[in-house]
Amino acid sequence: PLQSKEFGAQTMGNFSYDALTDRWEIDTKVNFSGMVLYFALSCIGVVLTCVIEWAIATIFFFDSKTSRLVLPVNLVSQVVMRVGFVLLYGLIFHKFAYAVIVLEILVYTGEYFWYRSAMKDISGKKVLLFTVVANTVTLILGYRLNEMLIYHQ
């Protein structure tokens, strides 16, 4: 990952995140390579999330039709997460964790209701369990991956 000498932090486009203070700083210089890296890592994160949640869905439901529903649901929720993070973190919340918590609650809830409406023949408890397990696994793995990328360069 790229380092900003000015802030001593992870640089993503026009913003720098300082993990020590848990703050974002505005960087007046456009860091094109940082933006490309952030976009590439975001794409990798979306693909990994879809693959992992699809694998968990096949364990839960043993049905390829049901498991295929995971892809569009996760593509939408990942876009909501990334756009929501940009909007919430800078404008409303000044702590990284607050924005993540709010967005994760929205994703868990939204995915549960989307799956529940599409999987009418599966019990609500099983859909809820799948939603919680799949999203918690990808949340933890994503957190660990981000931690490795930011702190272990």
Side-chain angles (χ1 to χ4, degrees):
L2 301 173
Q3 289 291 318
S4 167
K5 291 178 185 156
E6 185 176 347
F7 301 114
Q10 179 75 21
T11 302
M12 296 179 204
N14 294 334
F15 301 96
S16 294
Y17 174 71
D18 187 337
L20 297 175
T21 61
D22 192 32
R23 301 285 299 179
W24 284 91
E25 302 287 340
I26 296 175
D27 187 352
T28 56
K29 295 174 249 146
V30 174
N31 183 342
F32 183 73
S33 60
M35 290 170 36
V36 170
L37 178 64
Y38 179 71
F39 178 75
L41 292 174
S42 291
C43 290
I44 291 168
V46 169
V47 170
L48 287 174
T49 297
C50 290
V51 168
I52 292 166
E53 291 200 19
W54 172 81
I56 294 170
T58 59
I59 293 167
F60 266 81
F61 305 117
F62 305 108
D63 177 0
S64 63
K65 182 181 176 189
T66 303
S67 299
R68 277 184 279 167
L69 179 62
V70 169
L71 181 62
V73 171
N74 275 279
L75 287 175
V76 169
S77 66
Q78 289 297 308
V79 169
V80 168
M81 282 287 288
R82 278 149 178 77
V83 171
F85 185 76
V86 170
L87 296 175
L88 284 178
Y89 186 57
L91 300 176
I92 299 172
F93 298 109
H94 301 291
K95 290 282 188 185
F96 179 79
Y98 296 158
V100 171
I101 290 168
V102 168
L103 290 167
E104 286 295 338
I105 289 169
L106 289 173
V107 166
Y108 277 66
T109 305
E111 286 189 13
Y112 169 73
F113 284 111
W114 191 342
Y115 289 135
R116 189 70 188 112
S117 68
M119 301 178 191
K120 295 187 185 314
D121 56 331
I122 299 172
S123 78
K125 288 181 183 178
K126 189 169 185 176
V127 172
L128 179 62
L129 183 62
F130 161 71
T131 304
V132 169
V133 168
N135 282 291
T136 302
V137 166
T138 54
L139 172 64
I140 291 169
L141 291 175
Y143 174 79
R144 296 296 298 159
L145 180 63
N146 285 332
E147 187 177 62
M148 288 188 311
L149 291 172
I150 292 172
Y151 298 115
H152 302 293
Q153 305 171 31

